Amino acid sequence: GGRCLVVMANSKYEYVKREFEFHRHLPASNWIVVRIDGCHFHRFSELHAFEKPNDDRALRLMNACATSMLEKFPDIVIAYGVSDEYSFVFREKTEFYKRRESKNISLCVSYFTIVYGMKWKDFFPNNDLKEPPYFDGRVVCYPNINTIRDYLAWRQVDCHINNQYNTCFWALVKSGKTEKEAHQALKGTSSKDKNKLLLQQFQVNYNDEPAMFRKGSTVYRDKVKTDDCGNPIKRTREAITVSNFDLIGPEFWENHQYILGEASDYLCLGGKEKYGYEYVKKFDNIHRLPYSNWTIVRISACQFDQ
């Protein structure tokens, strides 16, 4: 039961860490987005008999995992998810693991995956996991609030395009067409064409489909003035909320300006910037070239046609 003290040995083999292991730090004053995506989830969804085109249980499970992410990592200010994908936006000034790229990706992906497995039975009580779910991840930095909003709008537009197509596709398949025939029937169709197909052939108004399917899910900390029982409280508190709002238009952002904050988010003390001139050092992020590699410097003329 005693604690074991680990001492790093200064051996001749330590060069493998010193000379080959590098840590890429993400640039300062950038919003960090970690996007997690299911690996081979087409097979996974078939193996576990997910409903097509959308399985409400599977989507709510993803939302529950995203909620746990915001509970675990306070620097995540908002998350957006659709299907087997979720994007997590870290605040601009985050120092989460010193902005090390590998840490940001690996911690988010591993934690999300573990929570997915732990919460599986909450949403699929009669369906055992037949194989472990797993996800990949990527990290991208964006320089300002406008770009972050455009990123989230891009993912929501993608949600609409894919969901509208899948709604039509599976309606055709369930009506008796083969998957190849369904794909062929939808080839070259516009959004208006798909709405018309659903309404005329299947009496389905696409706009009446659940908002979670059409718009995806947004997870954020909402400012509420009631306790968990609905009783009014004097001070506003933050509660992690899952919603299905439109993120493309201005309404959501006008009503939730505190999520992304001001564009120039300098912390001020008595009217003076906290960071001062020392802050510029954060941009001086020089990467060493790896050992035991030939180094080639290629010089190319700039604007030599002039």
Side-chain angles (χ1 to χ4, degrees):
R3 289 190 304 170
C4 179
L5 181 63
V6 178
V7 179
M8 294 298 292
N10 187 18
S11 71
K12 67 178 183 179
Y13 306 111
E14 199 175 353
Y15 79 94
V16 297
K17 174 180 175 64
R18 184 178 63 251
E19 298 182 6
F20 292 93
E21 195 170 307
F22 303 104
H23 299 293
R24 179 172 179 255
H25 292 267
L26 299 169
S29 287
N30 275 254
W31 298 83
I32 297 172
V33 174
V34 177
R35 186 163 75 246
I36 294 173
D37 201 5
C39 286
H40 303 296
F41 255 58
H42 180 75
R43 166 188 157 81
F44 183 86
S45 64
E46 288 185 348
L47 191 61
H48 294 91
F50 282 11
E51 295 177 9
K52 303 293 186 181
N54 294 288
D55 192 305
D56 179 80
R57 301 163 300 171
L59 293 174
R60 288 188 291 111
L61 171 56
M62 291 288 289
N63 293 343
C65 295
T67 299
S68 294
M69 290 283 286
L70 267 73
E71 292 171 346
K72 181 69 174 177
F73 306 122
D75 279 8
I76 297 174
V77 295
I78 191 169
Y80 176 77
V82 54
S83 185
D84 60 344
E85 170 195 304
Y86 242 103
S87 297
F88 298 94
V89 180
F90 285 78
R91 63 186 180 88
E92 181 187 18
K93 295 294 191 292
T94 183
E95 287 297 330
F96 183 65
Y97 281 87
K98 299 181 179 179
R99 301 178 75 95
R100 284 164 59 181
E101 182 182 43
S102 60
K103 288 285 188 181
N104 275 256
I105 296 175
S106 60
L107 285 167
C108 288
V109 171
S110 62
Y111 190 78
F112 190 96
T113 304
I114 288 294
V115 173
Y116 191 97
M118 290 178 66
K119 290 184 177 292
W120 173 264
K121 278 295 184 181
D122 295 343
F123 298 90
F124 294 89
N126 302 315
N127 194 351
D128 292 335
L129 275 173
K130 297 178 175 60
E131 69 177 26
Y134 60 106
F135 298 80
D136 62 35
R138 69 192 68 189
V139 62
V140 186
C141 289
Y142 294 101
N144 52 53
I145 289 175
N146 286 339
T147 317
I148 281 293
R149 285 181 54 176
D150 284 348
Y151 171 83
L152 294 169
W154 169 54
R155 299 319 303 138
Q156 191 164 62
V157 168
D158 216 45
C159 168
H160 163 70
I161 293 171
N162 289 331
N163 185 67
Q164 189 186 43
Y165 185 95
N166 289 334
T167 302
C168 293
F169 174 82
W170 286 107
L172 290 168
V173 170
K174 290 174 183 178
S175 72
K177 289 186 179 294
T178 66
E179 292 191 8
K180 184 177 181 180
E181 288 170 341
H183 281 304
Q184 192 62 35
L186 293 172
K187 188 175 181 180
T189 56
S190 65
S191 178
K192 186 177 179 180
D193 294 333
K194 294 182 182 70
N195 282 340
K196 187 176 179 180
L197 181 149
L198 287 171
L199 195 58
Q200 292 184 350
Q201 292 191 35
F202 304 103
Q203 293 73 55
V204 171
N205 186 333
Y206 181 74
N207 291 325
D208 292 338
E209 291 291 290
M212 181 168 63
F213 301 166
R214 293 182 293 109
K215 296 182 182 297
S217 298
T218 304
V219 186
Y220 61 98
R221 294 177 186 85
D222 199 9
K223 290 189 175 182
V224 297
K225 295 183 178 180
T226 58
D227 62 18
D228 292 332
C229 298
N231 302 313
I233 56 176
K234 292 182 179 179
R235 294 183 178 180
T236 301
R237 68 182 181 90
E238 288 188 342
I240 296 176
T241 303
V242 180
S243 70
N244 313 108
F245 290 123
D246 175 70
L247 298 179
I248 300 169
E251 185 178 351
F252 174 82
W253 300 108
E254 288 173 356
N255 295 332
H256 302 84
Q257 294 182 24
Y258 57 87
I259 292 178
L260 299 181
E262 296 298 327
S264 53
D265 186 24
Y266 287 105
L267 299 178
C268 295
L269 297 173
K272 296 181 179 179
E273 291 180 1
K274 178 181 176 182
Y275 298 108
Y277 299 116
E278 291 294 311
Y279 185 66
V280 299
K281 290 184 179 179
K282 289 193 174 184
F283 296 89
D284 190 12
N285 187 18
I286 299 173
H287 302 291
R288 293 180 299 166
L289 298 173
Y291 287 86
S292 296
N293 277 255
W294 297 88
T295 301
I296 297 176
V297 178
R298 185 168 73 245
I299 296 174
S300 183
C302 291
Q303 298 180 340
F304 254 49
D305 58 329
Q306 295 181 13

